[in-house]
Amino acid sequence: MPFIPHTEQDTTAMLSAIGADSINDLFDEIPAKLRDVDLSAIPAGLTEQEISRLMHERAAQDGQLQCFIGAGAYEHHIPAAVWEITTRGEFYSAYTPYQAEASQGTLQLLYEYQTMMASLNDMDVSNASLYDGATACAEAVLMAVRANRKSKSKKVLVAGTLNPHYRVVMDTITRHQGIELVDLQWDDASGITPVDALAEYAGADIAAVMIQNPNFFGRFEEIDAMTDWAHDNKALVIAVCNPTSLAIITPPGQWGSAGADIACGDGQPLGAPMSSGGPYFGFITCKQPIVRQMPGRIIGRTVDMDGKPGYALTLQAREQHIRRSKATSNICTNQGLLVTAATIHMSIIGPDGLAAVAEHSHANTQKLVALLTEIDGVKARFEGPTFHETVLELNQPVGAVLARLADAGIAGGFALARSPNAEQAKLDDCLLVCATETKTTADLEAYAAAMKSVLSQQQRAA
Amino acid sequence: MPFIPHTEQDTTAMLSAIGADSINDLFDEIPAKLRDVDLSAIPAGLTEQEISRLMHERAAQDGQLQCFIGAGAYEHHIPAAVWEITTRGEFYSAYTPYQAEASQGTLQLLYEYQTMMASLNDMDVSNASLYDGATACAEAVLMAVRANRKSKSKKVLVAGTLNPHYRVVMDTITRHQGIELVDLQWDDASGITPVDALAEYAGADIAAVMIQNPNFFGRFEEIDAMTDWAHDNKALVIAVCNPTSLAIITPPGQWGSAGADIACGDGQPLGAPMSSGGPYFGFITCKQPIVRQMPGRIIGRTVDMDGKPGYALTLQAREQHIRRSKATSNICTNQGLLVTAATIHMSIIGPDGLAAVAEHSHANTQKLVALLTEIDGVKARFEGPTFHETVLELNQPVGAVLARLADAGIAGGFALARSPNAEQAKLDDCLLVCATETKTTADLEAYAAAMKSVLSQQQRAA
Amino acid sequence: MTIASNETPLIFEHSRAGRRAFAQAPERSAVGNIPAGLRRKDKPTLPEVSELQAVRHYTRLSQKNFSIDTQFYPLGSCTMKYNPRACNTLAMLPQFLGRHPLANDAHGQGVLSCLHDLQDILKEVTGMKGVALAPMAGAQGEFAGMAMIRAYHDARGDTARTEVLVPDAAHGTNPATAVMCGYKVREIPTDDQGDVDFEALKAAVGPQTAGIMLTNPSTLGVFERKILEISSLIHEVGGLLYYDGANLNAILGKCRPGDMGFDVIHMNLHKTFSTPHGGGGPGSGAVGVSERLLPFMPIPLVLKEDEKFRLATEKDRPQSIGRMSAFTGNVGVLLRAYIYARMLGKEGMVRVAEYATLNANYIMAELEKAGFDLAFPERRASHEFIVTLKRQSKESGATVTDFAKRLLDKGYHAPTTYFPLLVPECLLIEPTETEAKEDLDGFIQAMKDIQVEADSDIDQLRGAPYTMPVRRLDDVRAARQLDIKWLPEKGEAA
Amino acid sequence: MTIASNETPLIFEHSRAGRRAFAQAPERSAVGNIPAGLRRKDKPTLPEVSELQAVRHYTRLSQKNFSIDTQFYPLGSCTMKYNPRACNTLAMLPQFLGRHPLANDAHGQGVLSCLHDLQDILKEVTGMKGVALAPMAGAQGEFAGMAMIRAYHDARGDTARTEVLVPDAAHGTNPATAVMCGYKVREIPTDDQGDVDFEALKAAVGPQTAGIMLTNPSTLGVFERKILEISSLIHEVGGLLYYDGANLNAILGKCRPGDMGFDVIHMNLHKTFSTPHGGGGPGSGAVGVSERLLPFMPIPLVLKEDEKFRLATEKDRPQSIGRMSAFTGNVGVLLRAYIYARMLGKEGMVRVAEYATLNANYIMAELEKAGFDLAFPERRASHEFIVTLKRQSKESGATVTDFAKRLLDKGYHAPTTYFPLLVPECLLIEPTETEAKEDLDGFIQAMKDIQVEADSDIDQLRGAPYTMPVRRLDDVRAARQLDIKWLPEKGEAA
Ligand SMILES: Cc1ncc(COP(=O)(O)O)c(C=O)c1O
Ligand SMILES: Cc1ncc(COP(=O)(O)O)c(C=O)c1O
């Protein structure tokens, strides 16, 4: 009986203490007609040795491509220490820190995380995580609508350059609460949201404006002008950011003259492996006055009976287990272990290390773009600088090119035709590429060589 | 400066506290002519990301063969929990438990290990490890010579069926102490040491007789008769055993009417990966009366100032740090972490699990031998049962066959021609095979199919 | 012992400008073509420490936690059972970790096959017709479930249904979720046997009823005996039934929500399927549905076509409620659940429920013999049960909090306290199937000893815990004098 | 805190007949053709526990240890520095772990290339002409070294050399090794500056001198200033010089044993090259040799021929002293050392010595200012130095043991105590280069505080430690009432 410690004697003794004849008797309150379950379609149990072999075989099927895809999930070097400590039993197998005195490890770590995340965004406060970047955006919208007491409209302007995977989740989650999400069109030449696009909403009742910077195309938005416009028009500003960029790019707290009101995003680049999409974690930070509208857990520092400092969950009156139907969100379990990894990750690489990662990712992407745009049939789609992702336009269908690159062991980028944002999907000859600090010059050259060969073969075939 | 935490300010402040102008000044007692070192031939430092890539590339070069080699190192399933706990910082990065109060974790674990190892061998006491099986055999010889007060001869009879890799190390290590190792020839038909081989030494001054069971050929020695003969002739008995076998095979403490006096071997099968040969660990156990001749560390249970039980190093007066030139051995650092793994491994699989591993390894080897000996040109070399290794005789040069099998992804066994024991090396058409519990029937059949194909190709080629 | 009992400074207090784990990131370099105006000028407050300092700090912090790997953790409703280590090791194979979520399906057949097989196993064991793995925790599974119920009614043009029924014993996520899906919540009372008050329920249902959210066994630790009647009642009025699967461990392989008549169910794979809780998450709230909700399942789903696996998209599932996460949900958690499910196998599933139930009933019987009051003394325990200290608290003044804190001193994590809200001074005790009799006995003895202390030395009890890194913390101060971020100017731990 | 401070039962006390981690081993099966007479009849005393019980037990036990990952550990002569985690992770890649030692070299080019490169790096950094990686710890390296010295003399027919010189400050392994190699040991005294007493040495050398075993800097924490004179002296009489590399950390990249005239050296890779000590081992005692000892190096060695790597055997090296282990030595340890060496690189090597020396001299300076007596106040510290409490112990009665135990209470591992034997009441303090100034300051403060306590409350000091899982242990009883194995009949921890 894997994972069950009972000996026959134990079971017998326990049943007799209970006064039951058999384990089955313990289920006698369940209506008899429910108690006949056929599990024959489930395979028989495997030993650890057997499952180990199976999983190794399955993993081998997936292979290991050289990754040049970004689009919301990024390959970064993760120090070996990060997951070795994160998976220590005391972190890995603990529950939510409801008994604070027996959870000071997790609680202090989360307090440190809140500090780091708030500072990275240059915002006042952070919560202890949401599910992922997409749900963080959805929660940010709901939070902004609650927090903007001046607005009645529940209307939120969303830059069309937002990560489209986030955008669809915002739909799923905000749909039932009368929220209206209005997409702003970007400028076709520059790939950023023109401040003019806002003009038509001047004076209208807008609860919030949401801007991603660097945006999905890797381009820098006019964050100062947009932020000031929003505040002038009594709208809150929701910033969506990649934490890596925040080491070297103006953080949300410094956007415009007053800074963004809420800043959120996905923490994956801070120590979470790409893992086919999860688990990652969503972060959300905000200005102090609206902290009581924040969803999710928050840890506070306090003192014990002896006046000694300690940490505990706080502001729980916002949460579902206290406030129930009036909670700021239904979230309960969050992504604690990923935050544990991120906190250790940030501690190990530090502010300079994170800046170096950002700089090298930027430089590698520039180098890659330079190499690729030398090839006949490849050009940059938008004018202007980018962070660590750039949109390229090919003279051939992107899907087929990516398939050929994959045969050569290269995950070549994200085909914008696959974007769930219909406007973005119109960029159907376009490819979003990303080269992080994990890539060597040889890797970049190998990609360019493969691209050259694929394009010339396709050309010949055509 | 990887791994160095000093900021410039720290360094300056420290130098000024010391009263030195530069770090270099701290080396001013070293003769000047020694202080000019050219390290230019050493490569520049790598980041963790760079070394990680390099090591992955090197690992990939080695590939992963299906392993049917035994001969002293065995592939067994190791529960995932074993190394996850073993590599916890508190075990991994601790020193030898000299400060007992701050090392109760390691010390209690070692006490538990001593208990398990003594019981597995059915001996009175165990030490806390030696380097490996080979050095354990060497130390056992030295110990036996010291312990056998009745003998003056320093002569030890060694069964010729001992693992030849152990045998050569015994030479290296015992050579300078006037020890005479006399090899006994085995019976050519059965592959075991005939008790008759001892007859010529009857009445001679023999310090000890060393017997491996199951022996290097996988065969069972006549342990009872040999043990009784040795004791009748005032010689001590040194047993060499594979710990896996001890779950189902008569343990040394039960050999003959009085049991062996010393039992040793390699602990690798208990949770140590094969790792190209190490780190493994040597175990040594003995009868109580000769414990003071034991080499290596021993942990004892005692009490603290409050009468509470606790653990500490004991009988240290045998060791080099106290007894110096009169110590029982020069060993200091041992193989503690491997013992940690073995203790956790034994705890997780338990006595029934270990017996099951032994039984399945035995059964798989029998199955493999049955499949292989069906092939033209393959037959069993020795008559009689074997544990989990068997010697096969091929009708073709073994080296070439193994090379072809390796091309097919199979490490097919150990060619006895490579034995460092010249007598064993005469079995030059012979192959020692082993199939542990890690092998499925499909694996065994794949090996047999590959062997069949290799042999028939070689035949055609010849 | 000292190792962890000293006050641990914050990581920031180890920070010194210019210190760094230099092996871990490249040297700084030029910022290329990013205009100066877009660049950050200040340095964020991330710690500047050496690798050893970080390793030591977080290793020591970890030692301040209770966890399954170190303590018995009978936290009701949370199913704190052993998280097999192999699940972690195998889910972290490099190919799994290194795969980008937008890599093509052809280079993901391994991971997709695992997810597909997991969908199938969960279908069988819950008796549902389809399973989607997208939701990232129980609460998100609830959201997906309620959104499907809403989509179902909407698709039929049945838009007058505005109300969701929720028993008063329900977990807070239930009402919170219903509201997020645009419903009004109507609470249904519990009868004195812990079942839903059937008469009250009958009175509450009507054409406005979109559905009901139940967990069975309920958070009161008892099996809802009238479940089939409830199911008929709700269906008769056109409502649907939602099953909160947080308590699935109690019935795994013994009976199935699908057979009870539920239309949608979420599972907490981080409970029943033993993925670790990680000090707060991540989890996975896979959802299972009945026939009628199949079209509405969240995407992506893993489809199998011609022995190949692929992710279903909006095109495949036009009626889907949509996506719950940017990509494919908490894949790493799903892999752990899959590995665990395969190790259990069909024989193992039912043992989970059996021994979890045996353990709960055993502690319940022993505590009752020792004089503790049970919330529902005439009922069987499911995998958990409730002790109420109402009487004791009157007699001795000892509260549930006092018991909880004192248990920590004795090396046991406290059960869930003050939940469900309707039972006064309650402890919800869930031992799980992976704990051995002698550990249960130790816990029972600890409870008895605390009772003795409550009767003899209440002040001693009130001062607990004594052996943790901190004594009882001031929660009120935590909320009033909000200190939720370290500020450099605050200096040493205040 | 409670987590680890409770008495932890032995794993055997969790054992119950028939309990087992069933996922971890196949079911029992028939024993095939093994005759009944050869089979074991009794069941060995291995614990019968569940997987959770084993995981919990050993996780909790681990928490009772001090370690580098949790504490400052200034254990002189032991070089307890940070063990980079990547070294462990990368040395445990599955291909490395899964390779059988007798697999052919063609399927081991990856691991062999690492070992070969390591040989080269160690040659460069020690200034020796050849390096062999076979020895499995320092003491075995010493054995290999002395066996080579003997083989050298023997090969020249120079068999009258029966004596090995060893300074009185030497580590116990030195004399023990010399004896294992068949030599007599002659002790050489130390002068009042901590150098070898050169006059005494001159008087001791002669045709009977096989060689001398030195460590430089010595275990007294000072650099042997007359090293070049010593080297000439020994070589003049036909002896060879052995370098005990335990203290290599002090001079790494700064100066080289080869340049000092040593003929053979062992390195403790588990010290200088930062492989973990694992609570006692494993280590690696790689040896480096001068030109004249090249033929005698232990096998296997890794050879590079035509860009391929292979292991040298007896055939390649007929004069070799032979094999030290069944296979290739502690390969996993060697991989860790290689990874560490590559991460340091040439720039990093020298920094090791520099900052290790800076740290030691800093603590020495501060302790001296605080009134502690240094064994050699006029000398620079190397990477370690000695404080003697002789005066204090007379004044206050406080011993080195008292200081050591009280340091534990303050969260610091004790320095090495009572070694080297010739300095009374000594503490050998080695901080290593990976500790930060503020941690050194904390240690210095702790020493001062203990001194205050020694002067004010000696009884309090003598009772230390107070915060460990146990208080001071009775070593005498441990040796007299030998209890080195748990017996079922002993029952509960006695
Ligand atoms: C009964 C019940 N329902 C729902 C939930 C919510 O699940 P999750 O925490 O995974 O969001 C929980 C978890 O605590 C629960 O106990
Ligand atoms: C000076 C000195 N020499 C030799 C040794 C022996 O090395 P090992 O423990 O690796 O055998 C040590 C280790 O403690 C030492 O400090």
Side-chain angles (χ1 to χ4, degrees), chain A residues 95 332-333, chain C residues 77 137-139 142 171 173 219 244 246 266 268 270-271:
Chain A
Y95 202 77
C332 178
T333 290
Chain C
S77 202
E142 292 178 32
H171 194 260
T173 49
T219 56
D244 173 344
H266 90 257
N268 298 62
H270 46 301
K271 298 180 178 179

Side-chain angles (χ1 to χ4, degrees), chain A residues 171-215:
Chain A
D171 269 340
T172 309
I173 294 184
T174 65
R175 173 182 301 150
H176 310 295
Q177 299 191 48
I179 307 279
E180 187 187 349
L181 302 177
V182 180
D183 298 301
L184 304 173
Q185 182 62 40
W186 65 86
D187 174 68
D188 187 61
S190 65
I192 67 172
T193 315
V195 185
D196 296 351
L198 297 169
E200 70 172 281
Y201 303 98
D205 178 1
I206 302 294
V209 179
M210 179 178 252
I211 314 158
Q212 177 175 337
N213 186 62
N215 71 22

Side-chain angles (χ1 to χ4, degrees), chain B residues 95 98 131 297 330-333, chain D residues 76-78 137-140 142 171 173-174 215 219 244 246-247 266 268 270-271 277 283 419:
Chain B
Y95 202 78
Y98 290 136
Y131 301 129
R297 296 190 193 116
N330 70 340
I331 192 168
C332 177
T333 289
Chain D
S77 203
C78 300
Q140 223 200 10
E142 293 178 32
H171 194 260
T173 49
N174 293 183
T215 169
T219 55
D244 174 342
N247 294 345
H266 89 258
N268 298 63
H270 46 300
K271 298 180 178 179
H277 209 271
F419 173 80

Side-chain angles (χ1 to χ4, degrees), chain B residues 18 54 84 86 100 103 124 138 198 209 236-237 252 256 258 271 313-314 333 338 344 346 378 398 432 437 441 457:
Chain B
I18 295 167
L54 179 72
E84 293 228 7
T86 301
S103 314
D124 297 332
L198 296 169
V209 179
L236 298 184
V237 172
L313 294 169
T314 193
T333 289
L338 284 299
I344 301 171
M346 287 189 274
V378 183
V398 174
L432 182 66
E437 89 288 358
T441 304
Q457 279 170 40

Side-chain angles (χ1 to χ4, degrees), chain D residues 190-195 375-376:
Chain D
T190 299
D191 71 20
D192 58 3
Q193 291 291 304
D195 290 319
F376 303 103

